Amino acid sequence: MTVLCVLWATLSTVASILACSGFYLPYWIQGRLLGKADAYFSSFRRCNYPRIRAPNTAPEIVYECARYSSFWDIPSGWWQATTVTMGIGVAIAVIGALTLLAAASSFLPHILKTPKQTRLLGSLQLLAAVMICGGLVMYPIGWDNREVRESCGKGANVYNLANLLRLNWCR
């Protein structure tokens, strides 16, 4: 293996680990929920969210991080699209990194024997990057949903989280 291939494998591995952890962790937006607790959101996970146990009762705050109950419970169609797009992109990135690690470690040296195979893997990694970036661009379009407005203020909208002069804040 050449030094360039080892460098490619190393950078691909680091990038896929960062993409996986960034996709999974729910700390994309931080807001304040009911003036009591910090709330965190990502496209499919959230931390510290309200729950109503019985009708006509005040909501209680659940202090935990969890996924939404189902895909359809994700509060925005744009967040659903982000979840799918980024999930596929991250999966492709991980598969590409594992392929490169196998080739670089001499476990399966015949994987990248021809320039055509190398171009194919590079194209797959480019596709993964485009999908991840596309998901990142779609995510703020869904900021006009109810959960973000409850945490960031009524001024939260597409690509605009809140009015920073109010008590409600988001970052």
Side-chain angles (χ1 to χ4, degrees):
M1 280 290 134
T2 66
V3 173
L4 186 60
C5 187
V6 172
L7 180 64
W8 182 20
T10 304
L11 290 176
S12 295
T13 303
V14 169
S16 67
I17 289 169
L18 290 174
C20 277
S21 46
F23 176 62
Y24 185 74
L25 294 174
Y27 304 110
W28 295 12
I29 297 177
Q30 177 182 2
R32 193 107 180 120
L33 189 59
L34 302 174
K36 298 178 184 177
D38 290 338
Y40 302 94
F41 301 99
S42 72
S43 65
F44 71 99
R45 296 189 78 220
R46 60 187 174 169
C47 291
N48 306 340
Y49 49 92
R51 177 174 50 199
I52 299 175
R53 291 233 180 232
N56 300 325
T57 61
E60 65 177 346
I61 297 176
V62 178
Y63 292 95
E64 67 180 20
C65 293
R67 293 183 311 269
Y68 290 95
S69 300
S70 74
F71 179 77
W72 305 111
D73 288 338
I74 296 174
S76 166
W78 289 104
W79 285 12
Q80 292 171 352
T82 297
T83 300
V84 170
T85 304
M86 288 190 68
I88 292 170
V90 166
I92 292 171
V94 168
I95 290 169
L98 290 175
T99 303
L100 278 167
L101 282 175
S105 67
S106 298
F107 180 66
L108 296 170
H110 62 280
I111 290 177
L112 297 177
K113 224 173 192 179
T114 67
K116 185 176 181 180
Q117 293 168 329
T118 306
R119 279 193 300 270
L120 176 65
L121 186 56
S123 298
L124 283 175
Q125 287 185 316
L126 179 63
L127 174 66
V130 167
M131 292 184 81
I132 291 169
C133 290
L136 290 174
V137 168
M138 284 189 282
Y139 181 71
I141 299 172
W143 287 351
D144 61 347
N145 71 61
R146 180 184 51 83
E147 288 191 21
V148 172
R149 286 191 174 147
E150 287 174 355
S151 297
C152 299
K154 299 201 183 308
N157 207 339
V158 175
Y159 281 97
N160 180 17
L161 281 175
N163 182 354
L164 295 177
L165 299 176
R166 295 181 178 207
L167 293 176
N168 292 332
W169 54 273
C170 266
R171 49 184 160 138

